[in-house]
């Protein structure tokens, strides 16, 4: 239960028949709600006619029975849940974005963050492009639209655009007749597809969304791959594959993804359990019970308990009607929300030495609040274990850590952090053991730049998360 903001969640459906794609997309977005809780939207395609609804809020707030019926039937739809890493939370920044251009219409949904968005936007503005949002998805849309005017097909335009885009992006794009799934050449963000028994194809960020709509998993997209869904079937374009080392974000496994999802053939739950087992070997302590902070700390806590032999206990009762702690604007609201969201099961911790496992420690504010709750419930000792290594660097690929001065591990030693947050000790996962989560060789196939500072791409010119809002204000 860290202070990190989420990624975004993508969902798409393509059918050769006119079906209720709106409700299917709604169910898929519900399954992906953990990936974004600021905005959401759905665009339905009925034989080239696009109908959309998007707004600020959770899926259940933005959509009801009437609005879903108003979207109507169709053979395609694209959906999106958002937690923005570029651009503030406004309706204009909600996705999918719909673009009207000389050759037709396009809807686009994006998960990730471009490192060259600022330069591309400046270039486009000098050419006369007018932006209506402050996120980098509109930048991507304009780049693709420019290429589409000169290209024979939407997939050709996407393929050419990929040479201009640098950074993390998984995309689901809808034209009047095709649905296209795209993954950047590094494969930073997950994207996969499956198929229902009725023949409809489903594209999603995680397998849990396939499960929600009774679709069977087929495969993950390769880094750099374009997959086209049309009346002619499924076509793969691999021109941009194998152009860069594979660098899926390791934090997808530690925090972002749902534990019941598989990403690139690896169970998220099992990866977290392996992280917990590593922690038990790296940081053994004498304790009476191991508890995990819901939700992403629970699997790691089970792994720690199994490896150490210390009993696992249910330490918290979670109010499932409260969103993740970082949804509240402002730090004071975020801290108050921790108390509303979690309540300690006193019988588990009272009078005991407790191992408290969480997915990460970012700024230290949330974990300090949780430690106080456990201490007030009667715990004698609290040993905090983070299933992630210390955050030492900003992430430029879709997580909202934009400066080192916000990271507690950059300012304090481990012992100082323990004292600051009120723990008896603090242990972090060793960065050299990250590969054990995925069963790969060290540093092979995943990005760990937020821990190591080893960035797969160039660093962006500006790292301000709301950089385009700043850009607008500077012109006034």
């Amino acid at each position: 239960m860290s202070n990190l903001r989420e990624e975004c969640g993508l969902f798409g459906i393509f059918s050769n028949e006119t079906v209720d794609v709106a409700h299917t997309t709604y169910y898929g977005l519900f399954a992906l709600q953990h990936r974004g809780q600021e905005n959401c939207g759905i665009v339905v395609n009925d034989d080239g006619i696009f109908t959309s609804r998007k707004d600020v809020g959770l899926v259940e707030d933005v959509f009801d029975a009437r609005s879903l019926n108003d979207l109507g039937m169709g053979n395609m739809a694209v959906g999106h849940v958002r937690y923005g890493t570029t651009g503030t939370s406004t309706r204009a920044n909600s996705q999918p974005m719909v673009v009207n251009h000389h050759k037709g219409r396009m809807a686009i949904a994006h998960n990730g963050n471009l490192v060259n968005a600022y330069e591309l936007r400046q270039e486009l503005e000098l050419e006369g492009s007018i932006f209506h949002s402050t996120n980098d998805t509109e930048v991507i849309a304009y780049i693709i639209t420019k290429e589409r005017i000169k290209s024979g097909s939407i997939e050709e335009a996407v393929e050419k655009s990929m040479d201009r885009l640098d950074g993390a992006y998984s995309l689901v794009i809808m034209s009047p007749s095709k649905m296209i799934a795209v993954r950047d050449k590094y494969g930073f963000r997950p994207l996969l597809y499956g198929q229902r028994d009725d023949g409809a194809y489903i594209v999603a960020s995680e397998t849990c969304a396939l499960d929600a709509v009774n679709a069977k998993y087929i495969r993950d997209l390769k880094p750099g791959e374009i997959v086209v869904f049309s009346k002619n079937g499924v076509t793969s374009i691999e021109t941009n594959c194998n152009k860069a080392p594979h660098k899926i974000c390791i934090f997808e496994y530690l925090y972002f993804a749902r534990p019941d999802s598989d990403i690139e053939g690896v169970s998220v739950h099992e990866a977290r359990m392996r992280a917990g087992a590593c922690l038990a070997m790296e940081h053994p302590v004498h304790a009476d019970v191991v508890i995990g902070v819901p939700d992403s700390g629970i699997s790691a806590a089970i792994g720690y308990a199994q490896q150490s032999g210390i009993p696992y206990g249910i330490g918290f009762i979670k109010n499932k009607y409260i969103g993740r702690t970082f949804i509240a604007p402002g730090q004071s609201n975020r801290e108050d929300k921790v108390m509303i969201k979690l309540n300690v099961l006193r019988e588990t911790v009272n009078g005991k030495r407790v191992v408290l496992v969480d997915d990460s420690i970012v700024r230290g504010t949330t974990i300090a609040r949780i430690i106080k709750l456990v201490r007030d419930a009667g715990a004698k000792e609290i040993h905090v274990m983070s299933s992630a290594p210390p955050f030492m660097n900003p992430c430029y690929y879709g997580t909202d850590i934009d400066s080192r001065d916000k990271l507690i591990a950059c300012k304090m030693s481990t012992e100082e952090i323990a004292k600051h947050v009120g723990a008896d000790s603090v242990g972090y996962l060793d960065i050299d053991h990250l590969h054990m989560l995925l069963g790969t060789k060290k540093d092979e196939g995943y990005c760990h730049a937020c821990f190591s500072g080893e960035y797969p791409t160039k660093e962006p010119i500006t790292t301000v998360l709301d950089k385009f809002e700043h850009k607008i204000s500077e012109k006034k």
Side-chain angles (χ1 to χ4, degrees), residues 261-273:
S261 286
D262 291 349
I263 296 178
E264 296 189 342
V266 176
S267 162
V268 174
H269 170 66
E270 291 183 0
R272 291 175 185 170
M273 286 185 63

Side-chain angles (χ1 to χ4, degrees), residues 103 144 147-160 175 178 180 228 237:
K103 289 189 175 181
I144 294 174
E147 293 295 342
R148 179 67 184 97
I149 294 170
K150 301 179 290 184
S151 303
S153 66
I154 180 66
E155 57 265 38
E156 180 184 343
V158 171
E159 185 178 0
K160 290 178 180 177
S175 76
K178 299 172 184 175
I180 298 174
V228 183
I237 302 170

Side-chain angles (χ1 to χ4, degrees), residues 46-101:
D46 180 19
D47 196 24
I49 298 174
F50 287 20
T51 307
S52 68
R53 177 174 176 80
K54 58 182 182 178
D55 212 333
V56 176
L58 301 172
V59 174
E60 65 179 340
D61 298 327
V62 174
F63 297 100
D64 56 20
R66 181 175 180 178
S67 60
L68 288 171
N69 289 333
D70 288 344
L71 286 172
M73 307 284 278
N75 71 308
M76 276 185 277
V78 176
H80 188 269
V81 290
R82 176 180 184 267
Y83 211 120
T85 53
T86 302
T88 53
S89 178
T90 63
R91 189 178 188 279
N93 283 328
S94 301
Q95 298 183 45
M97 289 194 164
V98 177
V99 178
N100 297 302
H101 57 85

Side-chain angles (χ1 to χ4, degrees), residues 79-369:
H80 188 269
V81 290
R82 176 180 184 267
Y83 211 120
T85 53
T86 302
T88 53
S89 178
T90 63
R91 189 178 188 279
N93 283 328
S94 301
Q95 298 183 45
M97 289 194 164
V98 177
V99 178
N100 297 302
H101 57 85
H102 177 66
K103 289 189 175 181
R105 307 188 84 184
M106 177 181 72
I108 181 170
H110 168 221
N111 173 25
N113 204 55
L114 299 182
V115 296
N116 64 337
Y118 192 82
E119 302 97 302
L120 289 175
R121 179 159 173 156
Q122 284 187 317
E123 174 190 317
L124 291 164
E125 286 179 334
L126 289 172
E127 293 175 353
S129 297
I130 299 173
F131 286 82
H132 301 282
S133 72
T134 55
N135 63 45
D136 55 357
T137 305
E138 194 171 11
V139 173
I140 297 172
Y142 272 123
I143 294 293
I144 294 174
T145 300
K146 283 183 63 178
E147 293 295 342
R148 179 67 184 97
I149 294 170
K150 301 179 290 184
S151 303
S153 66
I154 180 66
E155 57 265 38
E156 180 184 343
V158 171
E159 185 178 0
K160 290 178 180 177
S161 300
M162 292 177 74
D163 291 332
R164 304 289 316 279
L165 308 175
D166 194 16
Y169 58 90
S170 286
L171 310 172
V172 180
I173 300 168
M174 188 169 64
S175 76
S177 61
K178 299 172 184 175
M179 184 172 72
I180 298 174
V182 188
R183 203 170 173 204
D184 69 73
K185 63 184 179 181
Y186 300 96
F188 282 113
R189 299 298 162 205
L191 197 62
L192 49 93
Y193 72 94
Q195 189 174 25
R196 291 195 314 200
D197 289 341
D198 64 0
Y201 286 98
I202 306 295
V203 175
S205 295
E206 295 182 32
T207 57
C208 65
L210 299 184
D211 297 336
V213 299
N214 294 316
K216 296 179 181 178
Y217 166 83
I218 294 177
R219 67 177 178 88
D220 291 74
L221 270 72
K222 300 175 184 176
E225 184 181 16
I226 301 169
V227 176
V228 183
F229 302 87
S230 71
K231 63 180 180 180
N232 297 320
V234 182
T235 305
S236 172
I237 302 170
E238 298 188 16
T239 308
N240 290 287
C241 294
N242 302 314
K243 284 192 172 182
H246 186 191
K247 292 293 181 181
I248 190 167
C249 173
I250 193 66
F251 222 58
E252 288 285 351
Y253 298 93
L254 290 170
Y255 176 71
F256 289 133
R258 254 174 52 166
D260 54 331
S261 286
D262 291 349
I263 296 178
E264 296 189 342
V266 176
S267 162
V268 174
H269 170 66
E270 291 183 0
R272 291 175 185 170
M273 286 185 63
R274 286 193 285 269
C278 287
L279 279 171
M281 292 184 284
E282 296 168 11
H283 304 287
V285 296
H286 295 290
D288 304 304
V289 66
V290 179
I291 63 174
V293 180
D295 287 310
S296 44
I298 292 177
S299 297
I302 294 171
Y304 190 103
Q306 290 180 351
Q307 179 65 39
S308 65
I310 302 170
Y312 169 79
I314 298 174
F316 299 94
I317 301 301
K318 179 183 175 183
N319 185 336
K320 60 185 177 182
Y321 301 104
I322 302 294
R324 288 194 171 185
T325 55
F326 42 72
I327 299 302
Q331 187 60 47
S332 61
N333 286 343
R334 178 186 294 125
E335 291 176 0
D336 292 341
K337 210 166 186 181
V338 171
M339 299 184 70
I340 300 172
K341 183 178 179 180
L342 292 179
N343 197 28
V344 180
L345 198 60
R346 183 177 295 271
E347 291 78 7
T348 301
V349 303
N350 188 29
K352 296 179 182 177
R353 299 166 298 176
V354 177
V355 175
L356 175 66
V357 183
D358 203 356
D359 53 73
S360 60
I361 303 171
V362 186
R363 302 173 183 91
T365 51
T366 300
I367 192 65
R369 203 75 171 182

